[in-house]
Amino acid sequence: AQKVTQAQTEISVVEKEDVTLDCVYETRDTTYYLFWYKQPPSGELVFLIRRNSFDEQNEISGRYSWNFQKSTSSFNFTITASQVVDSAVYFCALSDTGRRALTFGSGTRLQVQP
Amino acid sequence: NAGVTQTPKFRVLKTGQSMTLLCAQDMNHEYMYWYRQDPGMGLRLIHYSVGEGTTAKGEVPDGYNVSRLKKQNFLLGLESAAPSQTSVYFCASSSPEPNTEAFFGQGTRLTVV
């Protein structure tokens, strides 16, 4: 069975601080896919990034960066110089190559104070 | 360019009533999913479909039924609603290609009283 753990339930930072959201996953598959989604207060789910198990390169997109480490089964997400608009719930998710359904973590609520 | 559309957006049901949630996608995706989101638990898979005419159970299927009569539509039914089914329901669709993301609808907030 697959499992995703986001141990940080809620994080509060002040604007311009850097913040890292942790994600640890469990799977028996050798091929799998990892995702981060953002859920702003309006409720929709916004796709942020996708990473497959073959690609351990870190990725940077503007103020966002992701650190994928197979050795520790982690896929952490860092926001640099956080902004109030980053306030949201962030979900890490894992999918297999079969049914392609997502197994979600419980989410981390990020509050960025002005 | 609608993507994934869920109907309705909000609904209040009385215990024992039935209803159907409709999900429609215009991306010609083969795979469709229904999830429920409860506080502190993330999203959990209810049922899914890998093609027209096929459905399968997810992790929390009890109390729900689904149908995929047309490729673009995936219906979620509650035959006899219970307060435990109060939740936010999300539909999603994806391509069979593994290295692609799922696209989500805007969610349906259901309250069973």
Side-chain angles (χ1 to χ4, degrees), chain A residues 76-94:
Chain A
N76 296 338
F77 172 30
T78 297
I79 301 175
T80 302
S82 59
Q83 299 177 0
V84 173
V85 293
D86 295 326
S87 297
V89 180
Y90 291 86
F91 290 100
C92 180
L94 170 68

Side-chain angles (χ1 to χ4, degrees), chain B residues 75-88:
Chain B
L75 279 61
L76 178 70
L78 286 74
E79 291 186 350
S80 179
S84 60
Q85 294 178 303
T86 293
S87 188
V88 180

Side-chain angles (χ1 to χ4, degrees), chain A residues 49-68:
Chain A
I49 191 171
R50 171 185 66 249
R51 176 67 71 218
N52 69 52
S53 53
F54 302 112
D55 184 2
E56 288 195 69
Q57 279 192 331
N58 292 332
E59 176 138 350
I60 298 174
S61 176
R63 296 184 296 106
Y64 295 171
S65 62
W66 290 269
N67 183 348
F68 174 33

Side-chain angles (χ1 to χ4, degrees), chain A residues 15-113:
Chain A
E15 212 170 14
K16 298 184 182 178
E17 283 186 26
D18 298 347
V19 58
T20 296
L21 310 182
D22 297 333
C23 173
V24 174
Y25 62 91
E26 296 175 29
T27 180
R28 294 180 180 177
D29 295 335
T30 54
T31 302
Y32 52 89
Y33 301 86
L34 295 161
F35 302 80
W36 277 94
Y37 282 85
K38 174 182 180 180
Q39 187 175 45
S42 51
E44 74 273 23
L45 285 158
V46 179
F47 166 75
L48 295 178
I49 191 171
R50 171 185 66 249
R51 176 67 71 218
N52 69 52
S53 53
F54 302 112
D55 184 2
E56 288 195 69
Q57 279 192 331
N58 292 332
E59 176 138 350
I60 298 174
S61 176
R63 296 184 296 106
Y64 295 171
S65 62
W66 290 269
N67 183 348
F68 174 33
Q69 292 194 339
K70 285 180 75 170
S71 60
T72 56
S73 297
S74 64
F75 187 40
N76 296 338
F77 172 30
T78 297
I79 301 175
T80 302
S82 59
Q83 299 177 0
V84 173
V85 293
D86 295 326
S87 297
V89 180
Y90 291 86
F91 290 100
C92 180
L94 170 68
S95 80
D96 57 28
T97 56
R99 63 183 190 178
R100 303 264 292 108
L102 292 166
T103 298
F104 283 85
S106 54
T108 297
R109 181 178 298 277
L110 174 65
Q111 295 199 356
V112 182
Q113 309 288 346

